[in-house]
């Protein structure tokens, strides 16, 4: 399926970097050129702008802890070049059936006991079948009964499926754009960009909050990273949660030999996401372990205020919970205590 280009409103030309915020606030839309100008700021100036934005919108300065459980692993029919769960790639990930309800609830209880606010359930499907939705809704109801925020990522959704998840109590649905529209076909051919936008629209129409971000370091240019952030920021409204993943090259996937992104460029991406989506929870996701403590600290300074927390992130490693708590304590960062979803609509 060929991706469809979405038309964006014309933008006021930015006269100077100093006027950047004022111009964007007036128009309500970010252009790729405006976001490229942010990326190009001197590092300290960009960090200062990001910290100003972060403090204005999150005065408590807390960090949300989210736990992600793979409820159905491997065997996916798609060809996402970064993903070890694709059935066509020879990786160490083995296909497993959907987990039992009791197993999921035990994992959710453990996540809550460890301090998580949100419990995310991920399944390696292109799209769920209606019988799958029935099983997942039981999981959602069970996790909600524990007092946790709920999130699911199950692939593409039809409108009726999104409505069923919402009626079960799902707070967030995750469906990433992954990258910019013009770079997308370099990574994925089995699902179009418009398919992703359609699922996000179905989620919004059903009344759920959106968790939507992507992966940087897949070989895209800075301009393409700027276009990716622009697409997210210009969603109306922009996502409540924005996971920014740093590519973890996995042996057996097409991107196994991809050169790592400069860590400072990753920090810049976090800062730009914070400035352009000021009220979103910007989440450090996959690849956090490879970044190390110092770069993670800079990401928090740039406005990241959510992390995936626990020992495993779907099929790639994640820093252990104790290490996360030690880092947050050393940085003097407190964690979000409420399990109530923060909604932008």
């Amino acid at each position: 399926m060929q991706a469809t280009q979405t038309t964006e409103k014309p933008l006021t030309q930015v006269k100077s970097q100093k006027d950047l915020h004022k111009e964007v606030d007036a128009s309500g839309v970010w252009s790729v050129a405006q976001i490229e100008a942010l990326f190009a700021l001197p590092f300290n100036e960009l960090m200062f702008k990001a910290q100003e934005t972060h403090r204005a919108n999150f005065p408590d300065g807390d960090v949300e802890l989210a736990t992600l459980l793979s409820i159905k692993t491997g065997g996916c029919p798609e060809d996402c070049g970064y993903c070890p769960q694709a059935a066509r790639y020879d990786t160490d990930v083995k296909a497993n059936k959907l987990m039992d309800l009791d197993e999921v609830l035990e994992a959710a209880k453990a996540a809550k006991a460890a301090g998580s606010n949100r419990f995310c359930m991920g399944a390696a499907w292109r799209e769920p079948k209606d019988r799958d939705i029935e099983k997942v809704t039981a999981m959602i109801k069970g996790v909600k009964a524990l007092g946790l925020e709920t999130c699911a990522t199950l692939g593409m959704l039809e409108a009726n499926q999104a409505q069923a998840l919402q009626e079960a109590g799902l707070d967030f649905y995750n469906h990433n754009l992954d990258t910019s529209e013009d770079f997308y076909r370099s990574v994925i051919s089995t699902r179009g960009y418009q398919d992703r936008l359609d699922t996000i629209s179905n989620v919004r129409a059903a009344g759920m909050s959106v968790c939507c971000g992507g992966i940087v370091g897949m070989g895209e240019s800075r301009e393409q990273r700027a276009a990716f952030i622009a697409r997210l920021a210009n969603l109306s409204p922009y996502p409540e949660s924005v996971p920014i993943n740093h590519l973890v090259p996995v042996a057996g996937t097409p991107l196994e030999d991809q050169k790592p992104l400069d860590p400072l460029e990753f920090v810049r991406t976090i800062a730009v996401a914070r400035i352009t989506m000021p009220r979103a929870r910007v989440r450090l996701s996959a690849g956090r372990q490879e970044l190390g403590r110092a770069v993670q600290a800079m990401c928090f300074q740039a406005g990241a205020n959510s992390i995936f927390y626990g020992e495993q992130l779907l099929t790639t490693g994640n820093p252990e919970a104790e290490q996360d708590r030690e880092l947050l304590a050393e940085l003097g960062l407190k964690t979000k205590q409420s399990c109530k979803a923060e909604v932008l609509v």
Side-chain angles (χ1 to χ4, degrees):
M1 179 175 179
Q2 191 66 32
T4 302
Q5 180 71 37
T6 300
T7 303
E8 296 180 349
K9 295 184 287 185
L11 300 160
T12 304
Q13 182 65 38
V14 176
K15 299 174 183 178
S16 69
Q17 291 178 343
K18 182 178 179 181
D19 293 331
L20 188 61
H21 286 296
K22 181 172 67 176
E23 297 280 0
V24 172
D25 289 345
S27 69
V29 180
W30 287 92
S31 72
V32 175
Q34 287 166 330
I35 293 178
E36 281 190 285
L38 284 176
F39 268 103
L41 287 173
F43 188 77
N44 284 349
E45 185 176 346
L46 175 60
M47 294 288 278
F48 181 73
K49 287 180 180 291
Q51 187 60 209
E52 276 190 318
T53 304
H54 183 61
R55 287 171 181 255
N57 290 277
F58 291 92
D60 290 341
D62 57 0
V63 176
E64 177 190 68
L65 304 180
T67 294
L68 175 58
L69 176 70
S70 181
I71 59 174
K72 191 276 175 188
T73 304
C76 182
E78 302 217 61
D79 68 349
C80 304
Y82 52 81
C83 186
Q85 300 202 68
R88 67 190 67 204
Y89 304 141
D90 184 16
T91 69
D92 291 335
V93 176
K94 305 301 180 185
N96 294 314
K97 65 178 183 178
L98 186 67
M99 291 177 67
D100 292 332
L101 175 61
D102 289 344
E103 293 179 277
V104 174
L105 295 184
E106 284 303 311
K109 290 175 185 177
K112 183 177 182 181
S116 286
N117 312 107
R118 185 183 303 177
F119 190 73
C120 308
M121 294 163 277
W125 290 317
R126 172 178 166 81
E127 68 277 308
K129 297 179 174 61
D130 288 343
R131 65 173 181 269
D132 299 322
I133 293 290
E134 292 178 10
K135 294 177 181 178
V136 173
T137 55
M139 297 176 185
I140 293 166
K141 292 175 182 177
V143 174
K144 286 286 286 186
L146 297 175
L148 288 163
E149 288 180 17
T150 53
C151 180
T153 178
L154 314 171
M156 295 184 291
L157 288 184
E158 298 294 337
N160 65 308
Q161 294 176 323
Q163 189 61 43
L165 295 175
Q166 188 276 334
E167 290 174 0
L170 189 67
D171 297 301
F172 289 81
Y173 192 79
N174 167 260
H175 200 66
N176 290 337
L177 293 182
D178 280 354
T179 188
S180 67
E181 188 166 2
D182 67 337
F183 188 70
Y184 183 83
R185 286 298 183 189
S186 300
V187 182
I188 302 163
S189 68
T190 52
R191 184 190 312 190
Y193 209 73
Q194 189 61 45
D195 293 328
R196 294 182 180 270
L197 295 170
D198 289 345
T199 289
I200 293 168
S201 294
N202 288 337
V203 169
R204 280 292 187 206
M208 288 182 287
S209 294
V210 169
C211 176
C212 183
I215 306 171
V216 297
M218 295 191 292
E220 76 284 351
S221 65
R222 175 179 279 187
E223 181 181 6
Q224 288 166 328
R225 277 191 292 281
F228 158 62
I229 296 293
R231 178 69 78 170
L232 290 172
N234 290 334
L235 293 173
S236 184
Y238 54 76
E240 284 86 353
S241 291
V242 181
I244 304 294
N245 298 272
H246 187 285
L247 176 68
V248 179
V250 178
T253 64
L255 293 177
E256 64 177 326
D257 295 321
Q258 180 60 46
K259 181 181 177 181
L261 184 69
D262 185 323
L264 293 183
E265 185 71 8
F266 184 81
V267 177
R268 284 182 180 274
T269 305
I270 296 294
V272 171
R274 167 53 62 220
I275 293 166
T276 56
M277 292 169 279
R279 294 172 56 204
R281 287 279 177 178
V282 178
R283 178 178 299 139
L284 298 182
S285 300
R288 190 160 62 86
Q289 189 172 31
E290 287 74 14
L291 292 173
R293 287 161 52 87
V295 176
Q296 288 185 68
M298 284 193 286
C299 288
F300 289 125
Q301 186 71 17
N305 61 349
S306 178
I307 59 173
F308 270 129
Y309 173 76
E311 296 183 3
Q312 191 75 13
L313 181 56
L314 290 182
T315 55
T316 60
N318 200 39
E320 294 184 0
E322 184 59 35
Q323 294 176 3
D324 287 333
R325 286 193 291 267
E326 288 176 359
L327 177 60
L328 293 174
E330 189 171 338
L331 296 175
L333 295 172
K334 58 185 178 181
T335 58
K336 180 186 174 187
Q337 298 301 306
S338 172
C339 289
K340 183 178 180 181
E342 298 157 338
V343 182
L344 299 182
V345 291

